[in-house]
Amino acid sequence: MEAEPPSSPSSSGPHACVVRPDLELLEDVLDQLEISSFRDSRGRLGTRWPCFSLFFTIDDQDDVFSARTIYDHFFSVDDKPELCAVLDEWNRDTTGLKVYSATDDDGSVIIVSEAMMRIDGGVTREQFAASTAIWLGNAGSFHLWLTQRLSLSGLAGEPF
């Protein structure tokens, strides 16, 4: 006997448990997780940790919920090839966070991680809260990995 395929959502409208996430809901989720947050000048909701800042956005036009983390390490352009090799190792060996380097206008190189989720059909509050908590945990886990890996490669980077 063949297994039944999962049923698709009804086309008559969203399920009662499905919500359309916004930054106010995200603030509620962060409050429930006992995480302080702030709004930056670009309208993003952010959290600050000892070694990184994490910014959340909800793009209504593209229906995407995303988290972008900026880590408190600065590198010179000369360090970029070796730094990219370290980041490639993370991207090759793990899933969940995409990490990359970015060069600021002043020429310093920073490390950024991103996670995103499509929300065009809405999500349950539980799914939204769980994704947020997982992304926060992943940002911290990556920072621990990065600190160890940079030490092994001899790339310390300048602190923020």
Side-chain angles (χ1 to χ4, degrees):
M1 173 180 256
E2 288 187 33
E4 293 284 321
S7 60
S8 60
S10 167
S11 61
S12 62
H15 190 275
C17 296
V18 173
V19 297
R20 179 74 181 161
D22 57 22
L23 291 180
E24 287 72 31
L25 176 59
L26 181 56
E27 283 178 313
D28 290 345
V29 168
L30 293 173
D31 286 344
Q32 288 175 353
L33 294 171
E34 298 180 358
I35 296 173
S36 61
S37 62
F38 61 90
R39 297 271 181 127
D40 73 359
S41 61
R42 295 164 60 184
R44 301 176 300 183
L45 190 61
T47 64
R48 179 72 191 133
W49 299 86
C51 301
F52 58 86
S53 296
L54 194 147
F55 298 94
F56 296 98
T57 58
I58 298 176
D59 184 342
D60 291 330
Q61 186 175 15
D62 293 331
D63 294 319
V64 173
F65 171 44
S66 63
R68 178 174 289 145
T69 308
I70 301 170
Y71 297 89
D72 298 351
H73 297 278
F74 288 99
F75 301 89
S76 73
V77 174
D78 295 337
D79 294 330
K80 196 167 183 173
E82 194 170 352
L83 177 61
C84 287
V86 169
L87 300 180
D88 285 350
E89 180 182 335
W90 171 270
N91 288 328
R92 181 182 56 250
D93 295 344
T94 63
T95 61
L97 283 181
K98 173 179 71 171
V99 298
Y100 55 91
S101 67
T103 305
D104 279 343
D105 292 339
D106 67 0
S108 60
V109 178
I110 61 172
I111 299 170
V112 180
S113 71
E114 280 188 276
M116 54 185 64
M117 174 174 71
R118 296 217 35 98
I119 55 172
D120 51 341
V123 294
T124 66
R125 182 181 176 94
E126 293 77 19
Q127 180 185 15
F128 186 70
S131 294
T132 301
I134 288 167
W135 293 349
L136 286 162
N138 285 348
S141 294
F142 172 71
H143 181 264
L144 291 174
W145 178 90
L146 178 66
T147 302
Q148 293 171 349
R149 189 60 187 84
L150 290 176
S151 176
L152 291 172
S153 69
L155 284 171
E158 296 297 319
F160 214 36

